PDB file of all heavy atoms in Angstrom:
ATOM      1  N   GLU Z 172     -14.346 -22.222  -7.543  1.00 71.00           N
ATOM      2  CA  GLU Z 172     -14.815 -22.718  -6.258  1.00 71.00           C
ATOM      3  C   GLU Z 172     -13.762 -22.552  -5.168  1.00 71.00           C
ATOM      4  O   GLU Z 172     -14.086 -22.357  -4.006  1.00 71.00           O
ATOM      5  CB  GLU Z 172     -15.199 -24.199  -6.391  1.00 71.00           C
ATOM      6  CG  GLU Z 172     -16.468 -24.433  -7.195  1.00 71.00           C
ATOM      7  CD  GLU Z 172     -17.690 -23.808  -6.543  1.00 71.00           C
ATOM      8  OE1 GLU Z 172     -17.815 -23.888  -5.308  1.00 71.00           O
ATOM      9  OE2 GLU Z 172     -18.513 -23.221  -7.269  1.00 71.00           O
ATOM     10  N   THR Z 173     -12.490 -22.616  -5.547  1.00 85.00           N
ATOM     11  CA  THR Z 173     -11.416 -22.507  -4.565  1.00 85.00           C
ATOM     12  C   THR Z 173     -10.280 -21.661  -5.128  1.00 85.00           C
ATOM     13  O   THR Z 173     -10.135 -21.513  -6.348  1.00 85.00           O
ATOM     14  CB  THR Z 173     -10.840 -23.890  -4.206  1.00 85.00           C
ATOM     15  OG1 THR Z 173     -10.174 -24.441  -5.362  1.00 85.00           O
ATOM     16  CG2 THR Z 173     -11.935 -24.844  -3.755  1.00 85.00           C
ATOM     17  N   LEU Z 174      -9.466 -21.123  -4.233  1.00 90.00           N
ATOM     18  CA  LEU Z 174      -8.284 -20.376  -4.667  1.00 90.00           C
ATOM     19  C   LEU Z 174      -7.234 -21.309  -5.257  1.00 90.00           C
ATOM     20  O   LEU Z 174      -6.347 -20.869  -5.981  1.00 90.00           O
ATOM     21  CB  LEU Z 174      -7.702 -19.593  -3.493  1.00 90.00           C
ATOM     22  CG  LEU Z 174      -8.551 -18.432  -2.971  1.00 90.00           C
ATOM     23  CD1 LEU Z 174      -7.806 -17.701  -1.863  1.00 90.00           C
ATOM     24  CD2 LEU Z 174      -8.917 -17.471  -4.082  1.00 90.00           C
ATOM     25  N   LYS Z 175      -7.347 -22.596  -4.970  1.00 90.00           N
ATOM     26  CA  LYS Z 175      -6.422 -23.560  -5.568  1.00 90.00           C
ATOM     27  C   LYS Z 175      -6.579 -23.557  -7.085  1.00 90.00           C
ATOM     28  O   LYS Z 175      -5.600 -23.636  -7.827  1.00 90.00           O
ATOM     29  CB  LYS Z 175      -6.672 -24.958  -5.010  1.00 90.00           C
ATOM     30  CG  LYS Z 175      -5.645 -25.997  -5.455  1.00 90.00           C
ATOM     31  CD  LYS Z 175      -5.847 -27.322  -4.724  1.00 90.00           C
ATOM     32  CE  LYS Z 175      -4.760 -28.322  -5.105  1.00 90.00           C
ATOM     33  NZ  LYS Z 175      -4.922 -29.600  -4.378  1.00 90.00           N
ATOM     34  N   GLU Z 176      -7.833 -23.436  -7.547  1.00 91.00           N
ATOM     35  CA  GLU Z 176      -8.074 -23.360  -8.991  1.00 91.00           C
ATOM     36  C   GLU Z 176      -7.444 -22.104  -9.569  1.00 91.00           C
ATOM     37  O   GLU Z 176      -6.863 -22.138 -10.660  1.00 91.00           O
ATOM     38  CB  GLU Z 176      -9.573 -23.383  -9.271  1.00 91.00           C
ATOM     39  CG  GLU Z 176     -10.258 -24.698  -8.938  1.00 91.00           C
ATOM     40  CD  GLU Z 176     -11.741 -24.672  -9.260  1.00 91.00           C
ATOM     41  OE1 GLU Z 176     -12.108 -24.109 -10.306  1.00 91.00           O
ATOM     42  OE2 GLU Z 176     -12.529 -25.199  -8.464  1.00 91.00           O
ATOM     43  N   SER Z 177      -7.551 -20.976  -8.857  1.00 92.00           N
ATOM     44  CA  SER Z 177      -6.945 -19.728  -9.327  1.00 92.00           C
ATOM     45  C   SER Z 177      -5.429 -19.874  -9.413  1.00 92.00           C
ATOM     46  O   SER Z 177      -4.800 -19.378 -10.364  1.00 92.00           O
ATOM     47  CB  SER Z 177      -7.307 -18.576  -8.383  1.00 92.00           C
ATOM     48  OG  SER Z 177      -8.708 -18.395  -8.314  1.00 92.00           O
ATOM     49  N   GLY Z 178      -4.835 -20.539  -8.421  1.00 92.00           N
ATOM     50  CA  GLY Z 178      -3.396 -20.777  -8.462  1.00 92.00           C
ATOM     51  C   GLY Z 178      -2.984 -21.624  -9.648  1.00 92.00           C
ATOM     52  O   GLY Z 178      -1.963 -21.363 -10.303  1.00 92.00           O
ATOM     53  N   HIS Z 179      -3.786 -22.647  -9.981  1.00 93.00           N
ATOM     54  CA  HIS Z 179      -3.482 -23.498 -11.130  1.00 93.00           C
ATOM     55  C   HIS Z 179      -3.591 -22.723 -12.439  1.00 93.00           C
ATOM     56  O   HIS Z 179      -2.808 -22.940 -13.370  1.00 93.00           O
ATOM     57  CB  HIS Z 179      -4.428 -24.698 -11.153  1.00 93.00           C
ATOM     58  CG  HIS Z 179      -4.084 -25.737 -10.123  1.00 93.00           C
ATOM     59  ND1 HIS Z 179      -4.945 -26.741  -9.739  1.00 93.00           N
ATOM     60  CD2 HIS Z 179      -2.959 -25.927  -9.387  1.00 93.00           C
ATOM     61  CE1 HIS Z 179      -4.364 -27.497  -8.831  1.00 93.00           C
ATOM     62  NE2 HIS Z 179      -3.169 -27.013  -8.598  1.00 93.00           N
ATOM     63  N   ILE Z 180      -4.571 -21.814 -12.508  1.00 94.00           N
ATOM     64  CA  ILE Z 180      -4.676 -20.956 -13.692  1.00 94.00           C
ATOM     65  C   ILE Z 180      -3.396 -20.135 -13.841  1.00 94.00           C
ATOM     66  O   ILE Z 180      -2.833 -20.005 -14.927  1.00 94.00           O
ATOM     67  CB  ILE Z 180      -5.901 -20.034 -13.597  1.00 94.00           C
ATOM     68  CG1 ILE Z 180      -7.194 -20.852 -13.658  1.00 94.00           C
ATOM     69  CG2 ILE Z 180      -5.893 -18.997 -14.729  1.00 94.00           C
ATOM     70  CD1 ILE Z 180      -8.439 -20.056 -13.305  1.00 94.00           C
ATOM     71  N   GLY Z 181      -2.917 -19.588 -12.713  1.00 95.00           N
ATOM     72  CA  GLY Z 181      -1.681 -18.805 -12.742  1.00 95.00           C
ATOM     73  C   GLY Z 181      -0.481 -19.607 -13.204  1.00 95.00           C
ATOM     74  O   GLY Z 181       0.365 -19.106 -13.958  1.00 95.00           O
ATOM     75  N   MET Z 182      -0.394 -20.856 -12.790  1.00 95.00           N
ATOM     76  CA  MET Z 182       0.723 -21.701 -13.209  1.00 95.00           C
ATOM     77  C   MET Z 182       0.707 -21.924 -14.719  1.00 95.00           C
ATOM     78  O   MET Z 182       1.764 -21.949 -15.371  1.00 95.00           O
ATOM     79  CB  MET Z 182       0.677 -23.036 -12.474  1.00 95.00           C
ATOM     80  CG  MET Z 182       0.947 -22.915 -10.982  1.00 95.00           C
ATOM     81  SD  MET Z 182       0.700 -24.500 -10.108  1.00 95.00           S
ATOM     82  CE  MET Z 182       0.718 -23.935  -8.403  1.00 95.00           C
ATOM     83  N   ALA Z 183      -0.491 -22.080 -15.277  1.00 96.00           N
ATOM     84  CA  ALA Z 183      -0.600 -22.222 -16.730  1.00 96.00           C
ATOM     85  C   ALA Z 183      -0.229 -20.915 -17.421  1.00 96.00           C
ATOM     86  O   ALA Z 183       0.449 -20.911 -18.462  1.00 96.00           O
ATOM     87  CB  ALA Z 183      -2.020 -22.637 -17.109  1.00 96.00           C
ATOM     88  N   VAL Z 184      -0.647 -19.791 -16.843  1.00 97.00           N
ATOM     89  CA  VAL Z 184      -0.291 -18.481 -17.399  1.00 97.00           C
ATOM     90  C   VAL Z 184       1.224 -18.306 -17.398  1.00 97.00           C
ATOM     91  O   VAL Z 184       1.806 -17.779 -18.348  1.00 97.00           O
ATOM     92  CB  VAL Z 184      -0.975 -17.352 -16.600  1.00 97.00           C
ATOM     93  CG1 VAL Z 184      -0.416 -15.988 -16.982  1.00 97.00           C
ATOM     94  CG2 VAL Z 184      -2.489 -17.370 -16.827  1.00 97.00           C
ATOM     95  N   GLN Z 185       1.873 -18.771 -16.329  1.00 97.00           N
ATOM     96  CA  GLN Z 185       3.327 -18.678 -16.278  1.00 97.00           C
ATOM     97  C   GLN Z 185       3.972 -19.349 -17.484  1.00 97.00           C
ATOM     98  O   GLN Z 185       4.895 -18.802 -18.098  1.00 97.00           O
ATOM     99  CB  GLN Z 185       3.866 -19.313 -14.997  1.00 97.00           C
ATOM    100  CG  GLN Z 185       5.385 -19.229 -14.868  1.00 97.00           C
ATOM    101  CD  GLN Z 185       5.940 -20.136 -13.783  1.00 97.00           C
ATOM    102  OE1 GLN Z 185       6.195 -21.307 -14.031  1.00 97.00           O
ATOM    103  NE2 GLN Z 185       6.120 -19.598 -12.585  1.00 97.00           N
ATOM    104  N   ARG Z 186       3.498 -20.545 -17.820  1.00 97.00           N
ATOM    105  CA  ARG Z 186       4.091 -21.264 -18.952  1.00 97.00           C
ATOM    106  C   ARG Z 186       3.938 -20.468 -20.245  1.00 97.00           C
ATOM    107  O   ARG Z 186       4.855 -20.426 -21.076  1.00 97.00           O
ATOM    108  CB  ARG Z 186       3.449 -22.648 -19.095  1.00 97.00           C
ATOM    109  CG  ARG Z 186       3.771 -23.592 -17.940  1.00 97.00           C
ATOM    110  CD  ARG Z 186       3.406 -25.024 -18.243  1.00 97.00           C
ATOM    111  NE  ARG Z 186       1.969 -25.241 -18.330  1.00 97.00           N
ATOM    112  CZ  ARG Z 186       1.177 -25.479 -17.296  1.00 97.00           C
ATOM    113  NH1 ARG Z 186       1.688 -25.488 -16.070  1.00 97.00           N
ATOM    114  NH2 ARG Z 186      -0.113 -25.687 -17.464  1.00 97.00           N
ATOM    115  N   ALA Z 187       2.787 -19.824 -20.416  1.00 97.00           N
ATOM    116  CA  ALA Z 187       2.565 -19.028 -21.627  1.00 97.00           C
ATOM    117  C   ALA Z 187       3.481 -17.814 -21.659  1.00 97.00           C
ATOM    118  O   ALA Z 187       4.095 -17.508 -22.691  1.00 97.00           O
ATOM    119  CB  ALA Z 187       1.106 -18.595 -21.704  1.00 97.00           C
ATOM    120  N   LEU Z 188       3.595 -17.119 -20.540  1.00 97.00           N
ATOM    121  CA  LEU Z 188       4.370 -15.879 -20.512  1.00 97.00           C
ATOM    122  C   LEU Z 188       5.872 -16.143 -20.566  1.00 97.00           C
ATOM    123  O   LEU Z 188       6.623 -15.395 -21.203  1.00 97.00           O
ATOM    124  CB  LEU Z 188       4.017 -15.064 -19.261  1.00 97.00           C
ATOM    125  CG  LEU Z 188       2.544 -14.667 -19.105  1.00 97.00           C
ATOM    126  CD1 LEU Z 188       2.375 -13.700 -17.936  1.00 97.00           C
ATOM    127  CD2 LEU Z 188       1.983 -14.065 -20.380  1.00 97.00           C
TER     128      LEU Z 188
END
Side-chain angles (χ1 to χ4, degrees):
E172 289 297 319
T173 67
L174 292 183
K175 187 173 184 179
E176 293 181 40
S177 300
H179 285 164
I180 293 169
M182 292 174 192
V184 169
Q185 181 194 86
R186 293 193 291 275
L188 301 188

